[in-house]
PDB file of all heavy atoms in Angstrom:
ATOM      1  N   LYS A  93      -1.980 -10.584 -14.482  1.00 96.00           N
ATOM      2  CA  LYS A  93      -3.281 -10.600 -15.148  1.00 96.00           C
ATOM      3  C   LYS A  93      -4.171 -11.720 -14.617  1.00 96.00           C
ATOM      4  O   LYS A  93      -3.689 -12.790 -14.256  1.00 96.00           O
ATOM      5  CB  LYS A  93      -3.088 -10.799 -16.658  1.00 96.00           C
ATOM      6  CG  LYS A  93      -2.261  -9.725 -17.310  1.00 96.00           C
ATOM      7  CD  LYS A  93      -2.035 -10.070 -18.767  1.00 96.00           C
ATOM      8  CE  LYS A  93      -1.091  -9.101 -19.413  1.00 96.00           C
ATOM      9  NZ  LYS A  93      -0.802  -9.478 -20.798  1.00 96.00           N
ATOM     10  N   ASN A  94      -5.475 -11.436 -14.614  1.00 95.00           N
ATOM     11  CA  ASN A  94      -6.495 -12.440 -14.300  1.00 95.00           C
ATOM     12  C   ASN A  94      -6.180 -13.193 -13.000  1.00 95.00           C
ATOM     13  O   ASN A  94      -6.059 -14.407 -12.986  1.00 95.00           O
ATOM     14  CB  ASN A  94      -6.636 -13.409 -15.474  1.00 95.00           C
ATOM     15  CG  ASN A  94      -7.874 -14.263 -15.344  1.00 95.00           C
ATOM     16  OD1 ASN A  94      -8.827 -13.923 -14.665  1.00 95.00           O
ATOM     17  ND2 ASN A  94      -7.853 -15.408 -16.007  1.00 95.00           N
ATOM     18  N   VAL A  95      -6.072 -12.447 -11.902  1.00 94.00           N
ATOM     19  CA  VAL A  95      -5.682 -13.050 -10.624  1.00 94.00           C
ATOM     20  C   VAL A  95      -6.754 -14.006 -10.104  1.00 94.00           C
ATOM     21  O   VAL A  95      -7.929 -13.885 -10.433  1.00 94.00           O
ATOM     22  CB  VAL A  95      -5.367 -11.984  -9.551  1.00 94.00           C
ATOM     23  CG1 VAL A  95      -4.203 -11.129  -9.959  1.00 94.00           C
ATOM     24  CG2 VAL A  95      -6.578 -11.149  -9.227  1.00 94.00           C
ATOM     25  N   SER A  96      -6.310 -14.937  -9.292  1.00 93.00           N
ATOM     26  CA  SER A  96      -7.225 -15.857  -8.600  1.00 93.00           C
ATOM     27  C   SER A  96      -6.683 -16.068  -7.189  1.00 93.00           C
ATOM     28  O   SER A  96      -5.621 -15.547  -6.835  1.00 93.00           O
ATOM     29  CB  SER A  96      -7.329 -17.187  -9.352  1.00 93.00           C
ATOM     30  OG  SER A  96      -6.105 -17.883  -9.310  1.00 93.00           O
ATOM     31  N   SER A  97      -7.379 -16.848  -6.394  1.00 92.00           N
ATOM     32  CA  SER A  97      -6.989 -17.033  -4.993  1.00 92.00           C
ATOM     33  C   SER A  97      -5.605 -17.663  -4.852  1.00 92.00           C
ATOM     34  O   SER A  97      -4.944 -17.473  -3.840  1.00 92.00           O
ATOM     35  CB  SER A  97      -8.025 -17.866  -4.254  1.00 92.00           C
ATOM     36  OG  SER A  97      -8.136 -19.142  -4.860  1.00 92.00           O
ATOM     37  N   ILE A  98      -5.133 -18.375  -5.861  1.00 92.00           N
ATOM     38  CA  ILE A  98      -3.795 -18.971  -5.763  1.00 92.00           C
ATOM     39  C   ILE A  98      -2.692 -17.911  -5.796  1.00 92.00           C
ATOM     40  O   ILE A  98      -1.557 -18.202  -5.465  1.00 92.00           O
ATOM     41  CB  ILE A  98      -3.545 -20.014  -6.875  1.00 92.00           C
ATOM     42  CG1 ILE A  98      -3.662 -19.362  -8.246  1.00 92.00           C
ATOM     43  CG2 ILE A  98      -4.451 -21.202  -6.738  1.00 92.00           C
ATOM     44  CD1 ILE A  98      -3.232 -20.253  -9.382  1.00 92.00           C
ATOM     45  N   HIS A  99      -3.051 -16.701  -6.166  1.00 94.00           N
ATOM     46  CA  HIS A  99      -2.066 -15.617  -6.225  1.00 94.00           C
ATOM     47  C   HIS A  99      -1.955 -14.843  -4.915  1.00 94.00           C
ATOM     48  O   HIS A  99      -1.162 -13.893  -4.829  1.00 94.00           O
ATOM     49  CB  HIS A  99      -2.387 -14.675  -7.391  1.00 94.00           C
ATOM     50  CG  HIS A  99      -2.332 -15.370  -8.714  1.00 94.00           C
ATOM     51  ND1 HIS A  99      -3.442 -15.556  -9.499  1.00 94.00           N
ATOM     52  CD2 HIS A  99      -1.303 -15.966  -9.349  1.00 94.00           C
ATOM     53  CE1 HIS A  99      -3.084 -16.221 -10.585  1.00 94.00           C
ATOM     54  NE2 HIS A  99      -1.797 -16.486 -10.519  1.00 94.00           N
ATOM     55  N   ASN A 100      -2.733 -15.210  -3.896  1.00 94.00           N
ATOM     56  CA  ASN A 100      -2.594 -14.594  -2.576  1.00 94.00           C
ATOM     57  C   ASN A 100      -1.176 -14.781  -2.071  1.00 94.00           C
ATOM     58  O   ASN A 100      -0.574 -15.832  -2.282  1.00 94.00           O
ATOM     59  CB  ASN A 100      -3.538 -15.260  -1.555  1.00 94.00           C
ATOM     60  CG  ASN A 100      -4.941 -14.749  -1.637  1.00 94.00           C
ATOM     61  OD1 ASN A 100      -5.170 -13.570  -1.857  1.00 94.00           O
ATOM     62  ND2 ASN A 100      -5.898 -15.633  -1.448  1.00 94.00           N
ATOM     63  N   GLY A 101      -0.658 -13.782  -1.379  1.00 95.00           N
ATOM     64  CA  GLY A 101       0.631 -13.962  -0.729  1.00 95.00           C
ATOM     65  C   GLY A 101       1.569 -12.793  -0.894  1.00 95.00           C
ATOM     66  O   GLY A 101       1.192 -11.708  -1.329  1.00 95.00           O
ATOM     67  N   THR A 102       2.823 -13.043  -0.553  1.00 96.00           N
ATOM     68  CA  THR A 102       3.860 -12.022  -0.550  1.00 96.00           C
ATOM     69  C   THR A 102       4.712 -12.130  -1.811  1.00 96.00           C
ATOM     70  O   THR A 102       5.099 -13.223  -2.203  1.00 96.00           O
ATOM     71  CB  THR A 102       4.745 -12.180   0.697  1.00 96.00           C
ATOM     72  OG1 THR A 102       3.909 -12.053   1.852  1.00 96.00           O
ATOM     73  CG2 THR A 102       5.835 -11.126   0.749  1.00 96.00           C
ATOM     74  N   TYR A 103       4.979 -10.968  -2.405  1.00 96.00           N
ATOM     75  CA  TYR A 103       5.806 -10.874  -3.601  1.00 96.00           C
ATOM     76  C   TYR A 103       6.995  -9.986  -3.295  1.00 96.00           C
ATOM     77  O   TYR A 103       6.866  -8.991  -2.588  1.00 96.00           O
ATOM     78  CB  TYR A 103       5.011 -10.278  -4.774  1.00 96.00           C
ATOM     79  CG  TYR A 103       3.904 -11.180  -5.260  1.00 96.00           C
ATOM     80  CD1 TYR A 103       2.707 -11.277  -4.562  1.00 96.00           C
ATOM     81  CD2 TYR A 103       4.067 -11.939  -6.407  1.00 96.00           C
ATOM     82  CE1 TYR A 103       1.691 -12.111  -4.991  1.00 96.00           C
ATOM     83  CE2 TYR A 103       3.054 -12.781  -6.856  1.00 96.00           C
ATOM     84  CZ  TYR A 103       1.865 -12.866  -6.147  1.00 96.00           C
ATOM     85  OH  TYR A 103       0.871 -13.695  -6.573  1.00 96.00           O
ATOM     86  N   GLU A 104       8.157 -10.348  -3.838  1.00 96.00           N
ATOM     87  CA  GLU A 104       9.362  -9.554  -3.638  1.00 96.00           C
ATOM     88  C   GLU A 104       9.946  -9.170  -4.986  1.00 96.00           C
ATOM     89  O   GLU A 104      10.020  -9.991  -5.895  1.00 96.00           O
ATOM     90  CB  GLU A 104      10.405 -10.340  -2.837  1.00 96.00           C
ATOM     91  CG  GLU A 104       9.985 -10.635  -1.421  1.00 96.00           C
ATOM     92  CD  GLU A 104      11.011 -11.466  -0.666  1.00 96.00           C
ATOM     93  OE1 GLU A 104      12.126 -11.715  -1.193  1.00 96.00           O
ATOM     94  OE2 GLU A 104      10.703 -11.859   0.469  1.00 96.00           O
ATOM     95  N   CYS A 105      10.351  -7.917  -5.076  1.00 94.00           N
ATOM     96  CA  CYS A 105      11.043  -7.397  -6.255  1.00 94.00           C
ATOM     97  C   CYS A 105      12.514  -7.313  -5.895  1.00 94.00           C
ATOM     98  O   CYS A 105      12.897  -6.599  -4.970  1.00 94.00           O
ATOM     99  CB  CYS A 105      10.482  -6.012  -6.601  1.00 94.00           C
ATOM    100  SG  CYS A 105      11.332  -5.170  -7.945  1.00 94.00           S
ATOM    101  N   ARG A 106      13.345  -8.071  -6.619  1.00 94.00           N
ATOM    102  CA  ARG A 106      14.776  -8.103  -6.337  1.00 94.00           C
ATOM    103  C   ARG A 106      15.548  -7.683  -7.581  1.00 94.00           C
ATOM    104  O   ARG A 106      15.178  -8.041  -8.688  1.00 94.00           O
ATOM    105  CB  ARG A 106      15.207  -9.509  -5.922  1.00 94.00           C
ATOM    106  CG  ARG A 106      14.566  -9.964  -4.629  1.00 94.00           C
ATOM    107  CD  ARG A 106      15.046 -11.331  -4.262  1.00 94.00           C
ATOM    108  NE  ARG A 106      14.476 -11.753  -2.990  1.00 94.00           N
ATOM    109  CZ  ARG A 106      14.718 -12.926  -2.444  1.00 94.00           C
ATOM    110  NH1 ARG A 106      15.507 -13.797  -3.042  1.00 94.00           N
ATOM    111  NH2 ARG A 106      14.172 -13.231  -1.282  1.00 94.00           N
ATOM    112  N   VAL A 107      16.623  -6.948  -7.371  1.00 90.00           N
ATOM    113  CA  VAL A 107      17.415  -6.454  -8.503  1.00 90.00           C
ATOM    114  C   VAL A 107      18.905  -6.581  -8.245  1.00 90.00           C
ATOM    115  O   VAL A 107      19.355  -6.662  -7.107  1.00 90.00           O
ATOM    116  CB  VAL A 107      17.104  -4.975  -8.821  1.00 90.00           C
ATOM    117  CG1 VAL A 107      15.668  -4.784  -9.210  1.00 90.00           C
ATOM    118  CG2 VAL A 107      17.496  -4.060  -7.692  1.00 90.00           C
ATOM    119  N   LYS A 108      19.628  -6.573  -9.347  1.00 87.00           N
ATOM    120  CA  LYS A 108      21.072  -6.372  -9.316  1.00 87.00           C
ATOM    121  C   LYS A 108      21.341  -5.273 -10.330  1.00 87.00           C
ATOM    122  O   LYS A 108      20.902  -5.344 -11.467  1.00 87.00           O
ATOM    123  CB  LYS A 108      21.854  -7.611  -9.707  1.00 87.00           C
ATOM    124  CG  LYS A 108      23.353  -7.312  -9.683  1.00 87.00           C
ATOM    125  CD  LYS A 108      24.188  -8.474 -10.020  1.00 87.00           C
ATOM    126  CE  LYS A 108      25.659  -8.162  -9.882  1.00 87.00           C
ATOM    127  NZ  LYS A 108      26.098  -6.913 -10.445  1.00 87.00           N
ATOM    128  N   ASP A 109      21.999  -4.233  -9.871  1.00 73.00           N
ATOM    129  CA  ASP A 109      22.330  -3.150 -10.790  1.00 73.00           C
ATOM    130  C   ASP A 109      23.842  -3.001 -10.844  1.00 73.00           C
ATOM    131  O   ASP A 109      24.570  -3.539 -10.039  1.00 73.00           O
ATOM    132  CB  ASP A 109      21.660  -1.840 -10.375  1.00 73.00           C
ATOM    133  CG  ASP A 109      21.868  -1.507  -8.915  1.00 73.00           C
ATOM    134  OD1 ASP A 109      22.696  -2.153  -8.264  1.00 73.00           O
ATOM    135  OD2 ASP A 109      21.198  -0.602  -8.415  1.00 73.00           O
ATOM    136  N   GLY A 110      24.297  -2.321 -11.852  1.00 66.00           N
ATOM    137  CA  GLY A 110      25.723  -2.114 -12.032  1.00 66.00           C
ATOM    138  C   GLY A 110      26.131  -2.449 -13.449  1.00 66.00           C
ATOM    139  O   GLY A 110      25.345  -2.931 -14.244  1.00 66.00           O
ATOM    140  N   VAL A 111      27.395  -2.225 -13.751  1.00 52.00           N
ATOM    141  CA  VAL A 111      27.868  -2.410 -15.112  1.00 52.00           C
ATOM    142  C   VAL A 111      28.917  -3.505 -15.248  1.00 52.00           C
ATOM    143  O   VAL A 111      29.318  -3.835 -16.350  1.00 52.00           O
ATOM    144  CB  VAL A 111      28.424  -1.083 -15.682  1.00 52.00           C
ATOM    145  CG1 VAL A 111      27.309  -0.092 -15.849  1.00 52.00           C
ATOM    146  CG2 VAL A 111      29.505  -0.520 -14.789  1.00 52.00           C
ATOM    147  N   SER A 112      29.361  -4.095 -14.161  1.00 50.00           N
ATOM    148  CA  SER A 112      30.399  -5.122 -14.244  1.00 50.00           C
ATOM    149  C   SER A 112      29.854  -6.381 -14.900  1.00 50.00           C
ATOM    150  O   SER A 112      28.845  -6.930 -14.488  1.00 50.00           O
ATOM    151  CB  SER A 112      30.921  -5.450 -12.839  1.00 50.00           C
ATOM    152  OG  SER A 112      31.824  -6.519 -12.919  1.00 50.00           O
ATOM    153  N   ARG A 113      30.534  -6.868 -15.916  1.00 50.00           N
ATOM    154  CA  ARG A 113      30.108  -8.070 -16.633  1.00 50.00           C
ATOM    155  C   ARG A 113      31.062  -9.235 -16.371  1.00 50.00           C
ATOM    156  O   ARG A 113      30.880 -10.309 -16.919  1.00 50.00           O
ATOM    157  CB  ARG A 113      30.067  -7.788 -18.140  1.00 50.00           C
ATOM    158  CG  ARG A 113      29.122  -6.691 -18.502  1.00 50.00           C
ATOM    159  CD  ARG A 113      27.980  -7.279 -19.232  1.00 50.00           C
ATOM    160  NE  ARG A 113      27.086  -6.213 -19.653  1.00 50.00           N
ATOM    161  CZ  ARG A 113      25.797  -6.287 -19.523  1.00 50.00           C
ATOM    162  NH1 ARG A 113      25.237  -7.332 -18.995  1.00 50.00           N
ATOM    163  NH2 ARG A 113      25.033  -5.309 -19.936  1.00 50.00           N
ATOM    164  N   ARG A 114      32.079  -9.047 -15.544  1.00 49.00           N
ATOM    165  CA  ARG A 114      33.075 -10.092 -15.332  1.00 49.00           C
ATOM    166  C   ARG A 114      32.623 -11.160 -14.356  1.00 49.00           C
ATOM    167  O   ARG A 114      33.207 -12.216 -14.281  1.00 49.00           O
ATOM    168  CB  ARG A 114      34.381  -9.472 -14.842  1.00 49.00           C
ATOM    169  CG  ARG A 114      35.062  -8.674 -15.941  1.00 49.00           C
ATOM    170  CD  ARG A 114      36.429  -8.279 -15.524  1.00 49.00           C
ATOM    171  NE  ARG A 114      36.343  -7.090 -14.693  1.00 49.00           N
ATOM    172  CZ  ARG A 114      37.312  -6.648 -13.932  1.00 49.00           C
ATOM    173  NH1 ARG A 114      38.444  -7.294 -13.859  1.00 49.00           N
ATOM    174  NH2 ARG A 114      37.156  -5.558 -13.224  1.00 49.00           N
ATOM    175  N   LYS A 115      31.578 -10.909 -13.605  1.00 49.00           N
ATOM    176  CA  LYS A 115      31.126 -11.871 -12.609  1.00 49.00           C
ATOM    177  C   LYS A 115      30.323 -12.979 -13.269  1.00 49.00           C
ATOM    178  O   LYS A 115      29.649 -12.764 -14.266  1.00 49.00           O
ATOM    179  CB  LYS A 115      30.288 -11.173 -11.549  1.00 49.00           C
ATOM    180  CG  LYS A 115      31.094 -10.169 -10.777  1.00 49.00           C
ATOM    181  CD  LYS A 115      30.272  -9.484  -9.747  1.00 49.00           C
ATOM    182  CE  LYS A 115      31.160  -8.484  -9.031  1.00 49.00           C
ATOM    183  NZ  LYS A 115      30.459  -7.643  -8.141  1.00 49.00           N
ATOM    184  N   LYS A 116      30.365 -14.145 -12.679  1.00 47.00           N
ATOM    185  CA  LYS A 116      29.605 -15.273 -13.202  1.00 47.00           C
ATOM    186  C   LYS A 116      28.119 -15.048 -12.981  1.00 47.00           C
ATOM    187  O   LYS A 116      27.710 -14.303 -12.111  1.00 47.00           O
ATOM    188  CB  LYS A 116      30.041 -16.572 -12.505  1.00 47.00           C
ATOM    189  CG  LYS A 116      31.469 -16.948 -12.788  1.00 47.00           C
ATOM    190  CD  LYS A 116      31.807 -18.224 -12.063  1.00 47.00           C
ATOM    191  CE  LYS A 116      33.251 -18.607 -12.321  1.00 47.00           C
ATOM    192  NZ  LYS A 116      33.629 -19.797 -11.582  1.00 47.00           N
ATOM    193  N   ARG A 117      27.303 -15.771 -13.745  1.00 49.00           N
ATOM    194  CA  ARG A 117      25.851 -15.633 -13.618  1.00 49.00           C
ATOM    195  C   ARG A 117      25.369 -15.973 -12.211  1.00 49.00           C
ATOM    196  O   ARG A 117      24.493 -15.322 -11.674  1.00 49.00           O
ATOM    197  CB  ARG A 117      25.130 -16.520 -14.631  1.00 49.00           C
ATOM    198  CG  ARG A 117      25.223 -15.988 -16.010  1.00 49.00           C
ATOM    199  CD  ARG A 117      24.427 -16.830 -16.930  1.00 49.00           C
ATOM    200  NE  ARG A 117      24.443 -16.206 -18.237  1.00 49.00           N
ATOM    201  CZ  ARG A 117      23.556 -16.397 -19.150  1.00 49.00           C
ATOM    202  NH1 ARG A 117      22.566 -17.229 -18.932  1.00 49.00           N
ATOM    203  NH2 ARG A 117      23.635 -15.788 -20.306  1.00 49.00           N
TER     204      ARG A 117
END
Side-chain angles (χ1 to χ4, degrees):
K93 300 175 186 176
N94 193 22
V95 298
S96 67
S97 60
I98 60 171
H99 298 114
N100 279 322
T102 301
Y103 293 78
E104 294 178 7
C105 175
R106 296 181 178 179
V107 298
K108 179 179 184 315
D109 49 12
V111 293
S112 175
R113 300 249 183 225
R114 290 190 278 165
K115 296 180 181 172
K116 295 180 181 177
R117 286 184 175 203

